[in-house]
Amino acid sequence: MFESLPTVLMIVFEVFCCKIFFEIFGKVRYKGWINAVQLILLVSGVFGAVKGFANIFILKQIALILIIAIFMFWHMKISIKKSLILTVLYQALLLSADYIAFLIYYSGLVSSGETTSLTYVLESVLVVMLGKMLLYFSVLIIKKKFGKKSTERLVESEWLKFLFFPVFTIIIMVSMFTVFGYVETTGQIYFLFIIAFGMAGMNIVEFYLINDIVEREIKLHENEIFHIQVKNQTEMYRSISENFDCQKRKTHEYKNQIVCIESLLRNKKYQELEKYVKEIYGHLDKELDTINTNNVIVNAILNTKYQEADAKGIVFVFRVNDLSQIRIKDEDVVTILSNLLNNAIEACEKCDDKKVIKLKFVNEDKMIIIAVKNTFNHPICYENGEIKSSKISRAEEHGIGIKNIIKTIEKYNGSYIIEDNKNEFYFSIIIPA
Protein backbone atom coordinates (compact mmCIF):
# COMPACT_ATOMS: atom_id res chain seq x y z
CA MET A 1 0.00 0.00 0.00
CA PHE A 2 2.78 2.40 0.95
CA GLU A 3 4.70 1.72 -2.25
CA SER A 4 1.67 2.71 -4.37
CA LEU A 5 0.99 5.95 -2.48
CA PRO A 6 4.31 7.67 -3.37
CA THR A 7 3.82 6.56 -6.99
CA VAL A 8 0.36 8.15 -7.14
CA LEU A 9 1.59 11.35 -5.49
CA MET A 10 4.51 11.62 -7.90
CA ILE A 11 2.22 11.02 -10.88
CA VAL A 12 -0.13 13.77 -9.64
CA PHE A 13 2.84 16.12 -9.33
CA GLU A 14 4.02 15.04 -12.78
CA VAL A 15 0.59 15.71 -14.32
CA PHE A 16 0.51 19.23 -12.88
CA CYS A 17 3.99 19.87 -14.30
CA CYS A 18 2.72 18.57 -17.65
CA LYS A 19 -0.30 20.89 -17.44
CA ILE A 20 1.93 23.91 -16.73
CA PHE A 21 4.24 22.90 -19.62
CA PHE A 22 1.38 22.62 -22.13
CA GLU A 23 -0.19 25.91 -21.00
CA ILE A 24 2.99 27.65 -22.16
CA PHE A 25 2.07 26.81 -25.76
CA GLY A 26 -1.74 26.86 -25.76
CA LYS A 27 -4.96 27.74 -23.95
CA VAL A 28 -7.09 25.49 -21.78
CA ARG A 29 -10.14 24.21 -23.67
CA TYR A 30 -12.44 23.77 -20.66
CA LYS A 31 -12.62 25.15 -17.14
CA GLY A 32 -14.33 24.09 -13.93
CA TRP A 33 -15.36 20.48 -13.23
CA ILE A 34 -14.54 19.27 -16.76
CA ASN A 35 -10.96 20.41 -16.22
CA ALA A 36 -10.80 18.48 -12.92
CA VAL A 37 -12.27 15.31 -14.51
CA GLN A 38 -9.70 15.47 -17.32
CA LEU A 39 -6.80 15.67 -14.85
CA ILE A 40 -8.19 12.78 -12.74
CA LEU A 41 -8.55 10.61 -15.85
CA LEU A 42 -5.03 11.54 -16.96
CA VAL A 43 -3.59 10.59 -13.56
CA SER A 44 -5.43 7.25 -13.77
CA GLY A 45 -4.19 6.63 -17.31
CA VAL A 46 -0.55 7.42 -16.44
CA PHE A 47 -0.75 5.26 -13.29
CA GLY A 48 -2.11 2.35 -15.36
CA ALA A 49 0.67 2.69 -17.93
CA VAL A 50 3.36 2.89 -15.23
CA LYS A 51 2.05 -0.22 -13.44
CA GLY A 52 1.15 -2.18 -16.57
CA PHE A 53 4.54 -1.73 -18.28
CA ALA A 54 6.71 -1.40 -15.19
CA ASN A 55 9.34 -3.82 -16.53
CA ILE A 56 9.20 -2.83 -20.22
CA PHE A 57 10.71 0.67 -20.54
CA ILE A 58 10.08 1.24 -24.27
CA LEU A 59 6.44 0.17 -24.17
CA LYS A 60 5.88 2.25 -21.04
CA GLN A 61 7.24 5.38 -22.74
CA ILE A 62 5.14 4.79 -25.87
CA ALA A 63 2.02 4.25 -23.77
CA LEU A 64 2.71 7.38 -21.69
CA ILE A 65 3.28 9.51 -24.79
CA LEU A 66 0.03 8.35 -26.41
CA ILE A 67 -2.03 8.78 -23.23
CA ILE A 68 -0.69 12.25 -22.43
CA ALA A 69 -0.95 13.42 -26.06
CA ILE A 70 -4.61 12.33 -26.32
CA PHE A 71 -5.62 13.82 -22.99
CA MET A 72 -3.78 17.07 -23.61
CA PHE A 73 -5.40 17.37 -27.03
CA TRP A 74 -8.72 17.08 -25.19
CA HIS A 75 -7.58 19.47 -22.46
CA MET A 76 -5.86 22.17 -24.57
CA LYS A 77 -6.85 24.14 -27.68
CA ILE A 78 -4.10 22.62 -29.82
CA SER A 79 -3.90 20.17 -32.72
CA ILE A 80 -3.22 16.48 -32.12
CA LYS A 81 0.08 16.84 -33.99
CA LYS A 82 1.24 19.68 -31.73
CA SER A 83 0.05 17.75 -28.68
CA LEU A 84 2.12 14.73 -29.72
CA ILE A 85 5.25 16.82 -30.33
CA LEU A 86 4.90 18.62 -27.00
CA THR A 87 4.37 15.30 -25.21
CA VAL A 88 7.58 13.89 -26.67
CA LEU A 89 9.46 17.02 -25.59
CA TYR A 90 7.93 16.84 -22.12
CA GLN A 91 8.85 13.16 -21.71
CA ALA A 92 12.39 13.92 -22.83
CA LEU A 93 12.56 16.68 -20.22
CA LEU A 94 11.14 14.34 -17.57
CA LEU A 95 13.65 11.56 -18.31
CA SER A 96 16.53 14.07 -18.31
CA ALA A 97 15.46 15.40 -14.89
CA ASP A 98 15.19 11.84 -13.49
CA TYR A 99 18.60 10.97 -14.92
CA ILE A 100 20.21 14.03 -13.31
CA ALA A 101 18.58 13.17 -9.96
CA PHE A 102 19.92 9.59 -10.04
CA LEU A 103 23.32 10.88 -11.19
CA ILE A 104 23.45 13.25 -8.21
CA TYR A 105 22.61 10.45 -5.79
CA TYR A 106 24.64 7.57 -7.18
CA SER A 107 27.71 9.75 -7.75
CA GLY A 108 28.20 9.51 -3.99
CA LEU A 109 28.25 13.27 -3.52
CA VAL A 110 25.19 13.30 -1.27
CA SER A 111 24.68 9.63 -0.41
CA SER A 112 24.54 8.68 3.26
CA GLY A 113 26.87 5.77 2.64
CA GLU A 114 25.25 2.61 3.98
CA THR A 115 21.65 1.89 3.03
CA THR A 116 19.64 -0.56 5.11
CA SER A 117 16.74 -2.63 3.88
CA LEU A 118 14.51 -0.35 5.94
CA THR A 119 15.46 2.78 4.04
CA TYR A 120 16.24 1.45 0.54
CA VAL A 121 12.76 1.71 -1.00
CA LEU A 122 11.96 5.04 0.59
CA GLU A 123 15.33 6.51 -0.30
CA SER A 124 14.77 5.48 -3.94
CA VAL A 125 11.42 7.27 -3.89
CA LEU A 126 13.13 10.42 -2.61
CA VAL A 127 15.57 10.28 -5.55
CA VAL A 128 12.61 10.14 -7.97
CA MET A 129 10.95 13.01 -6.08
CA LEU A 130 14.11 15.07 -6.54
CA GLY A 131 13.83 14.39 -10.27
CA LYS A 132 10.26 15.71 -10.26
CA MET A 133 11.41 18.92 -8.56
CA LEU A 134 14.14 19.35 -11.15
CA LEU A 135 11.45 18.81 -13.81
CA TYR A 136 9.24 21.48 -12.18
CA PHE A 137 12.14 23.93 -12.03
CA SER A 138 12.95 23.29 -15.72
CA VAL A 139 9.30 23.87 -16.73
CA LEU A 140 9.32 27.20 -14.88
CA ILE A 141 12.45 28.29 -16.73
CA ILE A 142 10.86 27.32 -20.08
CA LYS A 143 7.70 29.20 -19.11
CA LYS A 144 9.77 32.29 -18.35
CA LYS A 145 11.52 32.11 -21.74
CA PHE A 146 8.66 31.13 -24.04
CA GLY A 147 5.45 32.01 -22.22
CA LYS A 148 3.01 34.62 -23.62
CA LYS A 149 1.07 35.69 -20.55
CA SER A 150 0.43 35.19 -16.83
CA THR A 151 3.56 34.57 -14.68
CA GLU A 152 5.94 35.31 -17.58
CA ARG A 153 4.86 38.95 -17.11
CA LEU A 154 6.83 39.00 -13.87
CA VAL A 155 9.97 41.12 -14.02
CA GLU A 156 13.40 39.60 -13.38
CA SER A 157 13.53 40.51 -9.69
CA GLU A 158 10.07 39.02 -9.12
CA TRP A 159 11.09 35.85 -10.93
CA LEU A 160 14.10 35.44 -8.68
CA LYS A 161 11.81 35.61 -5.65
CA PHE A 162 9.36 33.22 -7.30
CA LEU A 163 12.10 30.65 -8.05
CA PHE A 164 13.52 30.80 -4.51
CA PHE A 165 11.02 28.24 -3.14
CA PRO A 166 11.62 25.49 -5.77
CA VAL A 167 15.40 25.98 -5.48
CA PHE A 168 15.13 25.81 -1.69
CA THR A 169 13.04 22.61 -2.00
CA ILE A 170 15.66 20.98 -4.24
CA ILE A 171 18.41 21.85 -1.76
CA ILE A 172 16.39 20.38 1.12
CA MET A 173 15.74 17.14 -0.80
CA VAL A 174 19.42 16.77 -1.68
CA SER A 175 20.29 17.37 1.98
CA MET A 176 17.87 14.64 3.07
CA PHE A 177 20.06 11.98 1.45
CA THR A 178 22.73 12.58 4.07
CA VAL A 179 20.21 12.13 6.89
CA PHE A 180 19.18 8.53 6.13
CA GLY A 181 22.33 7.15 7.69
CA TYR A 182 21.13 8.41 11.07
CA VAL A 183 17.50 7.29 10.75
CA GLU A 184 16.58 4.40 13.02
CA THR A 185 12.79 4.08 12.89
CA THR A 186 10.17 3.82 10.17
CA GLY A 187 8.31 6.75 11.75
CA GLN A 188 11.30 9.02 11.22
CA ILE A 189 11.48 7.99 7.58
CA TYR A 190 7.77 8.59 7.04
CA PHE A 191 8.16 12.01 8.64
CA LEU A 192 10.98 12.95 6.26
CA PHE A 193 8.93 11.91 3.25
CA ILE A 194 5.87 13.82 4.44
CA ILE A 195 8.12 16.88 4.51
CA ALA A 196 9.46 16.11 1.01
CA PHE A 197 6.05 15.54 -0.56
CA GLY A 198 4.57 18.46 1.37
CA MET A 199 7.22 20.88 0.06
CA ALA A 200 6.76 19.57 -3.49
CA GLY A 201 3.01 20.07 -3.21
CA MET A 202 3.48 23.55 -1.80
CA ASN A 203 5.46 24.46 -4.93
CA ILE A 204 2.42 23.65 -7.10
CA VAL A 205 0.12 25.55 -4.73
CA GLU A 206 2.51 28.52 -4.81
CA PHE A 207 2.61 28.46 -8.61
CA TYR A 208 -1.17 28.54 -9.05
CA LEU A 209 -1.58 31.10 -6.28
CA ILE A 210 0.86 33.49 -7.96
CA ASN A 211 -0.58 32.60 -11.37
CA ASP A 212 -4.10 33.56 -10.20
CA ILE A 213 -2.85 36.82 -8.68
CA VAL A 214 -1.00 37.78 -11.87
CA GLU A 215 -3.98 36.84 -14.08
CA ARG A 216 -6.22 39.00 -11.91
CA GLU A 217 -3.78 41.90 -12.28
CA ILE A 218 -3.72 41.32 -16.06
CA LYS A 219 -7.53 41.50 -16.19
CA LEU A 220 -7.52 44.69 -14.12
CA HIS A 221 -4.87 46.17 -16.40
CA GLU A 222 -6.81 45.13 -19.50
CA ASN A 223 -9.92 46.78 -18.05
CA GLU A 224 -7.90 49.96 -17.48
CA ILE A 225 -6.66 49.80 -21.07
CA PHE A 226 -10.20 49.25 -22.31
CA HIS A 227 -11.54 52.26 -20.39
CA ILE A 228 -8.67 54.44 -21.60
CA GLN A 229 -9.26 53.22 -25.16
CA VAL A 230 -12.98 54.00 -24.87
CA LYS A 231 -12.13 57.43 -23.50
CA ASN A 232 -9.75 58.13 -26.39
CA GLN A 233 -12.28 56.93 -28.94
CA THR A 234 -15.04 58.98 -27.30
CA GLU A 235 -12.86 62.09 -27.43
CA MET A 236 -12.05 61.43 -31.06
CA TYR A 237 -15.69 60.84 -32.02
CA ARG A 238 -16.63 64.02 -30.14
CA SER A 239 -14.02 65.93 -32.14
CA ILE A 240 -15.41 64.40 -35.33
CA SER A 241 -18.95 65.33 -34.31
CA GLU A 242 -17.87 68.88 -33.50
CA ASN A 243 -16.17 69.07 -36.89
CA PHE A 244 -19.36 68.00 -38.66
CA ASP A 245 -21.42 70.47 -36.61
CA CYS A 246 -18.97 73.20 -37.56
CA GLN A 247 -19.35 72.28 -41.23
CA LYS A 248 -23.14 72.54 -40.89
CA ARG A 249 -22.86 76.00 -39.38
CA LYS A 250 -20.48 77.06 -42.14
CA THR A 251 -22.97 75.87 -44.76
CA HIS A 252 -25.53 78.31 -43.39
CA GLU A 253 -22.87 81.02 -43.25
CA TYR A 254 -21.99 80.44 -46.90
CA LYS A 255 -25.60 81.06 -47.84
CA ASN A 256 -25.51 84.39 -46.02
CA GLN A 257 -22.16 85.25 -47.58
CA ILE A 258 -23.51 84.56 -51.08
CA VAL A 259 -26.46 86.86 -50.34
CA CYS A 260 -24.02 89.55 -49.21
CA ILE A 261 -21.86 89.11 -52.35
CA GLU A 262 -24.95 89.30 -54.54
CA SER A 263 -26.01 92.52 -52.80
CA LEU A 264 -22.58 94.13 -53.29
CA LEU A 265 -22.59 93.17 -56.96
CA ARG A 266 -26.07 94.52 -57.47
CA ASN A 267 -25.06 97.86 -55.92
CA LYS A 268 -21.75 97.85 -57.88
CA LYS A 269 -19.63 98.22 -54.76
CA TYR A 270 -16.66 96.45 -56.25
CA GLN A 271 -13.98 97.62 -53.81
CA GLU A 272 -16.05 96.48 -50.81
CA LEU A 273 -16.76 93.22 -52.68
CA GLU A 274 -13.04 92.58 -53.29
CA LYS A 275 -12.21 93.28 -49.66
CA TYR A 276 -15.01 91.02 -48.46
CA VAL A 277 -14.03 88.14 -50.76
CA LYS A 278 -10.40 88.30 -49.62
CA GLU A 279 -11.54 88.27 -46.01
CA ILE A 280 -13.67 85.15 -46.30
CA TYR A 281 -11.18 83.40 -48.59
CA GLY A 282 -8.54 83.46 -45.84
CA HIS A 283 -10.71 81.22 -43.68
CA LEU A 284 -11.60 78.64 -46.31
CA ASP A 285 -8.55 76.41 -45.77
CA LYS A 286 -9.46 75.97 -42.12
CA GLU A 287 -13.15 75.58 -42.71
CA LEU A 288 -13.07 73.01 -45.54
CA ASP A 289 -11.73 69.48 -45.36
CA THR A 290 -8.17 69.39 -46.66
CA ILE A 291 -7.85 65.58 -46.85
CA ASN A 292 -10.27 63.34 -48.74
CA THR A 293 -9.78 59.56 -48.85
CA ASN A 294 -13.38 58.53 -49.68
CA ASN A 295 -13.62 57.16 -46.13
CA VAL A 296 -15.72 59.28 -43.78
CA ILE A 297 -14.01 58.17 -40.55
CA VAL A 298 -10.48 58.48 -41.94
CA ASN A 299 -11.32 61.90 -43.39
CA ALA A 300 -12.73 63.13 -40.10
CA ILE A 301 -9.72 61.91 -38.07
CA LEU A 302 -7.07 63.18 -40.46
CA ASN A 303 -8.71 66.57 -40.97
CA THR A 304 -9.23 67.02 -37.24
CA LYS A 305 -5.61 66.15 -36.48
CA TYR A 306 -4.38 68.21 -39.42
CA GLN A 307 -6.12 71.29 -38.07
CA GLU A 308 -4.80 70.58 -34.56
CA ALA A 309 -1.24 70.22 -35.86
CA ASP A 310 -1.54 73.36 -37.99
CA ALA A 311 -2.77 75.36 -34.99
CA LYS A 312 0.35 74.25 -33.06
CA GLY A 313 2.77 75.19 -35.81
CA ILE A 314 3.48 71.60 -36.87
CA VAL A 315 4.07 70.82 -40.54
CA PHE A 316 1.79 67.95 -41.56
CA VAL A 317 2.88 66.13 -44.75
CA PHE A 318 0.68 63.30 -45.94
CA ARG A 319 0.19 60.79 -48.72
CA VAL A 320 -3.17 59.03 -49.04
CA ASN A 321 -5.25 57.33 -51.72
CA ASP A 322 -8.71 55.81 -52.04
CA LEU A 323 -9.48 54.11 -48.69
CA SER A 324 -13.14 53.39 -49.33
CA GLN A 325 -12.56 49.61 -49.49
CA ILE A 326 -10.39 49.02 -46.41
CA ARG A 327 -11.63 46.18 -44.20
CA ILE A 328 -10.52 47.71 -40.89
CA LYS A 329 -13.44 48.51 -38.58
CA ASP A 330 -14.14 52.16 -37.79
CA GLU A 331 -13.31 51.78 -34.09
CA ASP A 332 -9.98 50.13 -34.96
CA VAL A 333 -9.16 52.91 -37.43
CA VAL A 334 -9.78 55.38 -34.61
CA THR A 335 -7.55 53.37 -32.25
CA ILE A 336 -4.63 53.28 -34.68
CA LEU A 337 -4.79 56.78 -36.14
CA SER A 338 -5.75 58.67 -32.99
CA ASN A 339 -2.97 57.09 -30.92
CA LEU A 340 -0.32 57.44 -33.64
CA LEU A 341 -1.16 61.07 -34.39
CA ASN A 342 -1.69 62.03 -30.73
CA ASN A 343 1.78 60.68 -29.90
CA ALA A 344 3.29 62.40 -32.95
CA ILE A 345 1.70 65.77 -32.14
CA GLU A 346 2.75 65.49 -28.48
CA ALA A 347 6.35 64.70 -29.49
CA CYS A 348 6.49 67.58 -32.01
CA GLU A 349 5.16 70.03 -29.43
CA LYS A 350 8.28 69.42 -27.34
CA CYS A 351 10.60 70.17 -30.25
CA ASP A 352 12.25 73.58 -30.22
CA ASP A 353 12.73 74.03 -33.97
CA LYS A 354 11.83 71.34 -36.49
CA LYS A 355 8.23 70.15 -36.04
CA VAL A 356 7.21 67.77 -38.79
CA ILE A 357 4.75 64.88 -39.06
CA LYS A 358 4.77 62.68 -42.16
CA LEU A 359 1.81 60.36 -42.68
CA LYS A 360 1.31 57.63 -45.26
CA PHE A 361 -2.05 55.84 -45.38
CA VAL A 362 -2.57 53.91 -48.61
CA ASN A 363 -4.32 50.82 -49.88
CA GLU A 364 -2.17 49.31 -52.62
CA ASP A 365 -0.83 45.94 -53.78
CA LYS A 366 -3.39 44.17 -51.54
CA MET A 367 -1.81 45.79 -48.49
CA ILE A 368 -2.93 48.58 -46.18
CA ILE A 369 0.11 50.64 -45.23
CA ILE A 370 -0.04 53.12 -42.36
CA ALA A 371 3.20 54.90 -41.50
CA VAL A 372 3.84 57.91 -39.29
CA LYS A 373 7.20 59.62 -38.94
CA ASN A 374 7.65 62.58 -36.59
CA THR A 375 10.45 64.63 -35.11
CA PHE A 376 11.28 64.50 -31.39
CA ASN A 377 13.99 65.85 -29.10
CA HIS A 378 13.48 63.86 -25.88
CA PRO A 379 14.89 60.39 -25.10
CA ILE A 380 12.60 57.42 -25.73
CA CYS A 381 12.40 55.16 -22.70
CA TYR A 382 12.19 51.37 -23.06
CA GLU A 383 11.11 49.08 -20.23
CA ASN A 384 11.16 45.27 -20.65
CA GLY A 385 11.43 45.74 -24.41
CA GLU A 386 8.40 48.03 -24.58
CA ILE A 387 8.18 51.78 -25.11
CA LYS A 388 7.34 53.69 -21.96
CA SER A 389 5.47 56.96 -22.36
CA SER A 390 7.19 60.19 -21.34
CA LYS A 391 3.99 61.43 -19.68
CA ILE A 392 4.61 62.53 -16.10
CA SER A 393 0.96 62.55 -15.16
CA ARG A 394 -1.34 59.53 -15.49
CA ALA A 395 1.50 57.05 -14.99
CA GLU A 396 -0.91 54.13 -15.39
CA GLU A 397 -1.30 55.09 -19.06
CA HIS A 398 2.39 54.62 -19.85
CA GLY A 399 2.75 52.90 -23.20
CA ILE A 400 -0.93 51.97 -23.34
CA GLY A 401 -1.54 53.85 -26.60
CA ILE A 402 1.14 51.86 -28.42
CA LYS A 403 -0.05 48.61 -26.79
CA ASN A 404 -3.56 49.31 -28.11
CA ILE A 405 -2.15 49.89 -31.59
CA ILE A 406 -0.16 46.64 -31.50
CA LYS A 407 -3.17 44.71 -30.19
CA THR A 408 -5.27 46.05 -33.08
CA ILE A 409 -2.56 45.18 -35.63
CA GLU A 410 -2.40 41.60 -34.34
CA LYS A 411 -6.20 41.39 -34.61
CA TYR A 412 -5.85 41.75 -38.42
CA ASN A 413 -2.72 39.53 -38.69
CA GLY A 414 -0.64 42.58 -39.55
CA SER A 415 2.96 43.45 -38.80
CA TYR A 416 4.72 46.59 -37.64
CA ILE A 417 8.14 48.23 -37.29
CA ILE A 418 9.14 50.81 -34.67
CA GLU A 419 12.37 52.77 -35.12
CA ASP A 420 13.92 55.92 -33.69
CA ASN A 421 16.86 57.43 -35.53
CA LYS A 422 18.35 60.92 -35.81
CA ASN A 423 15.59 62.61 -33.80
CA GLU A 424 12.87 60.97 -35.90
CA PHE A 425 10.42 58.39 -34.59
CA TYR A 426 8.99 55.95 -37.13
CA PHE A 427 5.99 53.63 -36.75
CA SER A 428 5.09 51.57 -39.84
CA ILE A 429 2.14 49.17 -40.10
CA ILE A 430 1.24 46.68 -42.82
CA ILE A 431 -2.14 44.93 -42.76
CA PRO A 432 -3.39 42.50 -45.44
CA ALA A 433 -6.17 44.22 -47.42
Side-chain angles (χ1 to χ4, degrees), residues 261 264 272-282 284:
I261 291 171
L264 291 172
E272 289 85 348
L273 175 61
E274 183 180 1
K275 181 179 178 182
Y276 181 70
V277 170
K278 287 182 179 179
E279 182 180 343
I280 63 174
Y281 181 78
L284 286 178

Side-chain angles (χ1 to χ4, degrees), residues 118-119 122-123 180 183 185-194:
L118 180 67
T119 62
L122 298 176
E123 193 168 3
F180 278 103
V183 173
T185 66
T186 305
Q188 290 175 334
I189 295 173
Y190 289 169
F191 178 72
L192 288 174
F193 276 101
I194 289 172

